[in-house]
Amino acid sequence: MTLTKTTTQGLYTATTTPMHPDGSLNLSLIRSQVESQLKAGISGLVAVGGTGEASALSASERVEVVRATVEAAAGRVPVVAGVTTPGLLDTLALGRSFLDAGADGLMVITPYGTAPSQAGIRDFYKAVADGVGQAVMLYDIPYLTLVTTSPDTVLDIANDGSIFAMKASNPDQAAFTRLVQLVGDKIAIMSGDEHLFAVQTSLGAVGGVLASTNILPRTWVQIMETARAGDLKLAQRHIARIHDFLVNVYAEPNPGPMKAAQALTGLDVGPVRLPNRAPEAALVGNMRQQLTDLLAYENALAG
């Protein structure tokens, strides 16, 4: 399926990339990873993004991971492939390869490394959409890229049909509010921040692309449904309950702690590749202690 504004909603998990102990890809484990997410009610998957260690994978490995994820999902939920390269030519080449591998859509990060102007960002997404033959999901994460896409620029990009959605990972709530005002009826706005997810859902986000849903997918589905039902206070209390775990799972560069936390749930997806590192033992100990109660709650939600 080709994703559109109306078909994009709910929680999409930014998946990790399973690896063998020697650091090679463990493609066979992707099926178990996907099944656990779908059973929990996750609406979509985002492969080979930042959480998927895209920068540590070769281009051909990224395509392999996307293909394996598509095969495991088997059409039950959309699979979006992360395109995290800053240059247009590499973005087009990867994007086309991902679509050929069966991806339903592309999540394309803002061009970084050259401090582009807002006009340059707008032109970039137009060139990407034209080059791959379909609209894409804009990924705005300024604390990593040092590039911020203004709400007015997002409006320009949406108006020319280059994007169908946006993963908004900018903690500037004033900018998010303006974003909803300008493009909430034009594209699917997906929250990219766990701590702000409930508030952003109440403001107009139609879902989210999150990484900690790898660990607590049912808990996050409950948070989303509670926020959608209009009970923001209760949704915030649910987030407060997992707050300390969220602090720890992002205390060191992602996805080292995320993969360690997955192993604590019983799904060992292996090591990370350099420049990523395994988390410190003390951090793993903290997460083990926190997950005792959080996983009990998660399992209770499973009935």
Side-chain angles (χ1 to χ4, degrees), residues 237-259:
R237 286 200 294 270
H238 286 314
I239 293 178
R241 184 172 52 80
I242 65 174
H243 174 269
D244 290 347
F245 168 71
L246 292 176
V247 169
N248 277 285
V249 83
Y250 290 114
E252 296 179 18
N254 189 34
M258 196 69 65
K259 282 190 163 183

Side-chain angles (χ1 to χ4, degrees), residues 167-268:
K167 178 183 177 182
S169 296
N170 185 344
D172 184 338
Q173 283 296 80
F176 185 87
T177 300
R178 183 58 175 158
L179 183 71
V180 173
Q181 293 170 346
L182 291 177
V183 300
D185 63 339
K186 299 177 184 296
I187 63 172
I189 300 175
M190 305 287 275
S191 173
D193 190 314
E194 277 94 338
H195 295 285
L196 299 176
F197 176 80
V199 173
Q200 291 182 340
T201 298
S202 70
L203 288 172
V206 298
V209 179
L210 306 180
S212 63
T213 47
N214 281 290
I215 316 301
L216 302 170
R218 290 182 176 85
T219 297
W220 276 111
V221 169
Q222 181 186 54
I223 291 169
M224 179 183 67
E225 292 176 346
T226 303
R228 281 180 169 178
D231 196 340
L232 179 58
K233 288 185 178 180
L234 179 57
Q236 289 288 70
R237 286 200 294 270
H238 286 314
I239 293 178
R241 184 172 52 80
I242 65 174
H243 174 269
D244 290 347
F245 168 71
L246 292 176
V247 169
N248 277 285
V249 83
Y250 290 114
E252 296 179 18
N254 189 34
M258 196 69 65
K259 282 190 163 183
Q262 281 183 284
L264 294 174
T265 71
L267 182 64
D268 189 345

Side-chain angles (χ1 to χ4, degrees), residues 7 13 26 29 39 43-44 57 82 89 91 121 128 165 186 189 195 205 222-223 232 240-241 267-268 273 279 299:
T7 60
T13 294
N26 187 352
L29 195 56
K39 288 179 181 177
S43 301
L57 305 179
L89 295 182
T91 294
I121 296 171
V128 171
K186 299 177 184 296
I189 300 175
H195 295 285
Q222 181 186 54
I223 291 169
L232 179 58
R241 184 172 52 80
L267 182 64
D268 189 345
R273 286 185 182 174
N299 292 332

